[in-house]
C-alpha cells in the first residue's frame, strides 16, 4: 500500500501543461497579428518559457524556479501589453492567466500539505480523546461491578471489533487491488503522452530549418502529436481521479484497522488487569480516572495546537491560493479578442476546475475538523471549556459551508466556460465536460466520478485536468 502511494501519478500539472499548449496555439495564430516584429518575438518567448515550466514529459520545474519565472512573466506581460495589438493583448492575457494559475498551483500544493498537517494534528486530538473516554470507561467499570461482568462486556466488545476489523480488511484488500491496477494504467498513459510530446518537440525543432511550406506542415504534424498527447493526458487525468477516489478508501481502511487494533490492545490490557488485580479495583479506578483527566488536559493542549495550525497556516494558504486563482481567471476573462474564442474558454474552464478541486478539498478538510470538534464538544464526561469548542465547531462549519459554495460556483463557472468550446467532435467532448461540472454543481455527481461519456475524446482534444 505504501509503495502504491509513492507511485501515484500527479495530474495537477496537466492543466498547466494543457494550458501551455493552448497558449502555444494562440501565439502561433495571433501572437504576430500586427504590431512590431520585436513584440511578436517577445510574446513567443513568453510562451516558450511557459512551456518550459513542464519539462521531461510534463514534470514541473522546481517550485522556487517556477515562482520566480511566473512572477517575471506576469511583470513582462504587463510591460508588453502597453504596446500590443488587441490580438496580442488577448494572447498576453492568456499567458498571464497561465502564469498566475501556475503561482496558484504552487499555493494549492501548500494548501494540500497543510491539509495533511491538519489531518495528522486532528488524529492526535482524537487519539487523546479516545484515551480520555477509554480511561473514564475503565474507571467506571471497576466500581460496583464484578470481574465476571467486566470480562463479559470486554468479550462482547472484542467480538464486535474483530468482526468490524475483518470487514475492514476485506475493504482494504479490494481497494489495494483496484488501486494497483489504476496506478499501472496511469503510468502507461503517462509514458504514451511523453512519447507524443517528445515527437512534437522534435518536429518543432526540425521545422526551424525548413522552408515556409515544409515548416507549416511540420508544425501541423507537431500539433497532431500534441493533441494525441493531450488525449493520453486526459485519460490519465480521469484515471487519476479514480486513484484519488480509491486512495482515501484504502487509507481510511488502514487507519480504521490501526484504530481497531489499538482498541483491541486496550481491551486486552483491561482484561489482564481485571483478572490479575481484582483486589485492587478501587486503586486502579482512581489511577484510570487520573489518566483520563490527564488525557482531557492533553486534548485541550492538542486542540489549541490544531486551531493555531488551521487559523494561522491552512486558512491563509487557502485564501492566498484562491486569490491567485481569481486573478488568473480575471486575466483569462479579459482575453476577449483571442482569434479562437475556444482557447479563452478552455483556459478559463481549466482554472475554474482547479478552483473547484481546491475548494472541495478545503470544504472536506474543514468539515472533518468540525466533526472532530463536535466529538470533543459532546464527549461524556464533559470537558472543561465547552463554549470554546462550540464556537470553534460553528466557525469551521461556516468555513466548510463557504468553501462548499465556492466549489459549487467554480464548478458552474467551469461548466459555463467549457460549454460551446471547440468545434465538431471536440465540441461534443467539451459539452460532456460542461455537463459533468453541471452535475457536480447540482450535487448529482461526485468530483471523482466523471460521466462515462467523457471517456471517448472523439477528435483528440484536450480535457484540462480538474485539479490544477
Amino acid at each position: 500500500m505504501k509503495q502504491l502511494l509513492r507511485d501515484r501519478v500527479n495530474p495537477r500539472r496537466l492543466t498547466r501543461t494543457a494550458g501551455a499548449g493552448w497558449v502555444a496555439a494562440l501565439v502561433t495564430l495571433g501572437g504576430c497579428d500586427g504590431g512590431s516584429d520585436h513584440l511578436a518575438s517577445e510574446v513567443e518567448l513568453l510562451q516558450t518559457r511557459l512551456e518550459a515550466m513542464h519539462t521531461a514529459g510534463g514534470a514541473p520545474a522546481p517550485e522556487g524556479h517556477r515562482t520566480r519565472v511566473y512572477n517575471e512573466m506576469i511583470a513582462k506581460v504587463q510591460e508588453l501589453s502597453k504596446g500590443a495589438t488587441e490580438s496580442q493583448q488577448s494572447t498576453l492575457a492568456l499567458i498571464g492567466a497561465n502564469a498566475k494559475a501556475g503561482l496558484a498551483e504552487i499555493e494549492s500544493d501548500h494548501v494540500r500539505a497543510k491539509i495533511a498537517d491538519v489531518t495528522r494534528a486532528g488524529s492526535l486530538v482524537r487519539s487523546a480523546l479516545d484515551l480520555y473516554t477509554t480511561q473514564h470507561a475503565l474507571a467506571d467499570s471497576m466500581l460496583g461491578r464484578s470481574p465476571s461482568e467486566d470480562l463479559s462486556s470486554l468479550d462482547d466488545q472484542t467480538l464486535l471489533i474483530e468482526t468490524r476489523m475483518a470487514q475492514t480488511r476485506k475493504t482494504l484488500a479490494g481497494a489495494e487491488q483496484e488501486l494497483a491496477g489504476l496506478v499501472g494504467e496511469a503510468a502507461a498513459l503517462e509514458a504514451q503522452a511523453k512519447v507524443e510530446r517528445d515527437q512534437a518537440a522534435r518536429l518543432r525543432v526540425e521545422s526551424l530549418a525548413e522552408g515556409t511550406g515544409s515548416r507549416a506542415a511540420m508544425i501541423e504534424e507537431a500539433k497532431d502529436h500534441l493533441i494525441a498527447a493531450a488525449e493520453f493526458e486526459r485519460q490519465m487525468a480521469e484515471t487519476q481521479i479514480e486513484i484519488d477516489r480509491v486512495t482515501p478508501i484504502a487509507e481510511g481502511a488502514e487507519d480504521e484497522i490501526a484504530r481497531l487494533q489499538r482498541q483491541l490492545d486496550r481491551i486486552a490490557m483491561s482484561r489482564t488487569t481485571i483478572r490479575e488485580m481484582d483486589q485492587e479495583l478501587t486503586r486502579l479506578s482512581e489511577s484510570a480516572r487520573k489518566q483520563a483527566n490527564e488525557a482531557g488536559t492533553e486534548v485541550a493542549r492538542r486542540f489549541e495546537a490544531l486551531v493555531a495550525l488551521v487559523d494561522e497556516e491552512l486558512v491563509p494558504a487557502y485564501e492566498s491560493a484562491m486569490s491567485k486563482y481569481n486573478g488568473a481567471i480575471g486575466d483569462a476573462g479579459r482575453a476577449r479578442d483571442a482569434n479562437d474564442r475556444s482557447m479563452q474558454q478552455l483556459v478559463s474552464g481549466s482554472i475554474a476546475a482547479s478552483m473547484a478541486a481546491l475548494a472541495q478539498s478545503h470544504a472536506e478538510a474543514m468539515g472533518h475538523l468540525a466533526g472532530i470538534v463536535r466529538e470533543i464538544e459532546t464527549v461524556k464526561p464533559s470537558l472543561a471549556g465547552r463554549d470554546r469548542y462550540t464556537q470553534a465547531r460553528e466557525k469551521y462549519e461556516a468555513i466548510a459551508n463557504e468553501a462548499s459554495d465556492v466549489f459549487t460556483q467554480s464548478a458552474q463557472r467551469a461548466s459555463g466556460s467549457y460549454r460551446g468550446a471547440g468545434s465538431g467532435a471536440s465540441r461534443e467532448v467539451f459539452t460532456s465536460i460542461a455537463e459533468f461540472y453541471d452535475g457536480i454543481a447540482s450535487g448529482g455527481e461526485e468530483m471523482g466520478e466523471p460521466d462515462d461519456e467523457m471517456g471517448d475524446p472523439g477528435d483528440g482534444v484536450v480535457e484540462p485536468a480538474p485539479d490544477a
Side-chain angles (χ1 to χ4, degrees), residues 148-190:
S148 61
E149 292 175 339
D150 292 332
L151 291 172
S152 177
S153 175
L154 292 175
D155 288 341
D156 291 341
Q157 292 179 48
T158 299
L159 179 60
L160 290 174
I161 292 171
E162 289 177 343
T163 300
R164 184 172 179 182
M165 183 177 287
Q167 295 171 342
T168 306
R169 290 186 188 281
K170 183 177 180 181
T171 299
L172 175 61
E176 286 181 330
Q177 182 178 3
E178 182 178 1
L179 192 58
L182 289 171
V183 168
E185 180 181 348
L189 289 169
E190 183 178 36

Side-chain angles (χ1 to χ4, degrees), residues 318 358-368 399-401 403-404 407:
Y318 169 76
L358 184 61
Q360 183 187 43
S361 296
H362 193 59
E364 290 174 349
M366 299 308 292
H368 178 68
I399 293 176
N401 290 335
S404 181
F407 164 66

Side-chain angles (χ1 to χ4, degrees), residues 219-290:
I219 290 176
E220 185 64 25
E221 184 179 353
K223 180 180 177 182
D224 291 339
H225 283 290
L226 286 175
I227 291 174
E231 166 57 16
F232 287 127
E233 290 167 345
R234 183 192 67 77
Q235 295 177 29
M236 188 173 73
E238 291 184 349
T239 303
Q240 184 60 48
I241 289 173
E242 288 300 303
I243 291 175
D244 289 340
R245 176 184 63 80
V246 176
T247 296
I249 296 175
E251 291 175 340
E254 286 185 328
D255 291 343
E256 179 70 2
I257 290 172
R259 189 179 72 84
L260 292 173
Q261 185 58 55
R262 290 195 298 271
Q263 290 186 1
L264 288 175
D265 293 342
R266 295 190 192 108
I267 290 174
M269 292 176 60
S270 299
R271 182 181 290 109
T272 301
T273 300
I274 291 172
R275 286 172 176 167
E276 295 179 351
M277 307 184 69
D278 186 30
Q279 300 303 316
E280 301 181 26
L281 287 179
T282 300
R283 183 185 67 81
L284 291 176
S285 177
E286 293 173 353
S287 176
R289 197 76 69 189
K290 179 182 178 181

